Amino acid sequence: MLTLSRGASVVIADDDRRDAMAVENRLKDAGYQTTIITEFDPNSDADAFLASLVGQYDAFICDHVLSGHGRVGFTGAEVVSKANLQSSAPLPAVLISSHINTAQQGSISRWRMGIPQVVGKSDLDEEILPAMARAVAELNGDFARERRAFPTPIEVLGVDPKGEVRRAQVVVVGWDIKSPIWMPLDPIIEATGLRSESLVGQWLEAEVNCYAQKPEDLYYRNIVLSPDQPSERMFV
């Protein structure tokens, strides 16, 4: 079983050194060893950056929006999600961000399945240690109720393929049948092979963490086209 005890090494990736030091101070108070990374290779991708961390550290904390000598080719959400989901050498990882509830939220949602918790930078003192504990718990197979996924129908109402983050307007039946929400479009296209304009009106099936409190905390896995359109009786 994976554990994270006092003295464990934690790497903090943030292009803002002051923000990184705020995280570092909190972790040092809790007895962790820390390393800060503030410079990023603009030619690197998430996989290469993650490979440079695996085996070197026991845990990973990363800001969402990173920069090097220009904007890097990956977001913190992508690398944190991959760190938690990689099967060969999982690295418990936490995403921090000052962009919660902004336009950047869409780029976080794309990778939400592998992000146990997003910690706002204004909440670091209180939430960073519980978030690390949650990441470790999920790697041990212990998921909080709001993070457990089960199958549900999804109806695609519309698509927005031209924004910075492409998205689809959907109804997730198991979450809230009366309230359309936006979900990432690219995973649907990748899973179904359909063009974005062909998705409108389609029914999908996916595993979704329908006990999540907010739509931005939902994640979607094993997306498939529904073999049969759901009966109207299920919505009565």
Side-chain angles (χ1 to χ4, degrees):
M1 178 177 291
L2 180 67
T3 60
L4 198 62
S5 57
R6 289 178 63 90
S9 60
V10 184
V11 59
I12 305 158
D14 194 325
D15 57 318
D16 189 317
R17 177 166 287 276
R18 290 175 299 179
D19 287 350
M21 291 178 66
V23 178
E24 180 182 53
N25 291 337
R26 183 70 181 93
L27 295 181
K28 283 186 173 180
D29 288 344
Y32 294 109
Q33 300 180 43
T34 59
T35 299
I36 291 177
I37 299 174
T38 59
E39 293 291 331
F40 307 92
D41 182 354
N43 298 313
S44 180
D45 61 16
D47 295 321
F49 180 66
L50 180 57
S52 71
L53 306 180
V54 173
Q56 304 297 315
Y57 305 99
D58 299 311
F60 172 41
I61 296 171
C62 190
D63 186 26
H64 178 52
V65 179
L66 303 169
S67 62
H69 299 293
R71 186 65 60 86
V72 298
F74 60 89
T75 64
E78 180 182 0
V79 73
V80 164
S81 183
K82 289 183 173 181
N84 285 316
L85 293 177
Q86 61 181 354
S87 58
S88 58
L91 179 67
V94 174
L95 183 69
I96 61 176
S97 179
S98 56
H99 296 276
I100 296 176
N101 298 323
T102 72
Q104 284 291 337
Q105 186 68 51
S107 59
I108 295 175
S109 297
R110 170 68 175 84
W111 302 99
R112 197 64 175 84
M113 183 171 69
I115 304 174
Q117 184 174 348
V118 183
V119 178
K121 287 192 173 182
S122 60
D123 301 317
L124 285 172
D125 280 350
E126 295 182 357
E127 294 191 10
I128 194 63
L129 296 179
M132 290 173 60
R134 175 173 283 196
V136 171
E138 288 200 7
L139 288 177
N140 287 323
D142 181 11
F143 287 76
R145 187 170 186 259
E146 65 271 17
R147 288 281 296 168
R148 299 172 190 162
F150 58 87
T152 183
I154 298 174
E155 183 183 10
V156 182
L157 303 180
V159 296
D160 177 16
K162 296 182 178 180
E164 182 177 350
V165 177
R166 305 198 302 172
R167 56 187 187 162
Q169 188 180 45
V170 301
V171 169
V172 179
V173 174
W175 188 71
D176 186 346
I177 194 172
K178 297 181 179 180
S179 301
I181 61 173
W182 292 98
M183 70 172 283
L185 176 59
D186 287 344
I188 303 176
I189 293 175
E190 293 166 5
T192 65
L194 297 177
R195 297 166 62 90
S196 59
E197 60 269 21
S198 301
L199 288 169
V200 179
Q202 294 282 356
W203 281 90
L204 312 171
E205 292 178 1
E207 295 175 2
V208 184
N209 56 323
C210 291
Y211 286 111
Q213 296 298 306
K214 299 179 291 184
E216 56 265 29
D217 291 333
L218 295 173
Y219 68 83
Y220 311 82
R221 69 184 184 196
N222 299 328
I223 300 170
V224 297
L225 284 171
S226 179
D228 299 298
Q229 182 168 319
S231 169
E232 292 295 331
R233 287 179 296 176
M234 73 177 294
F235 305 128
V236 175

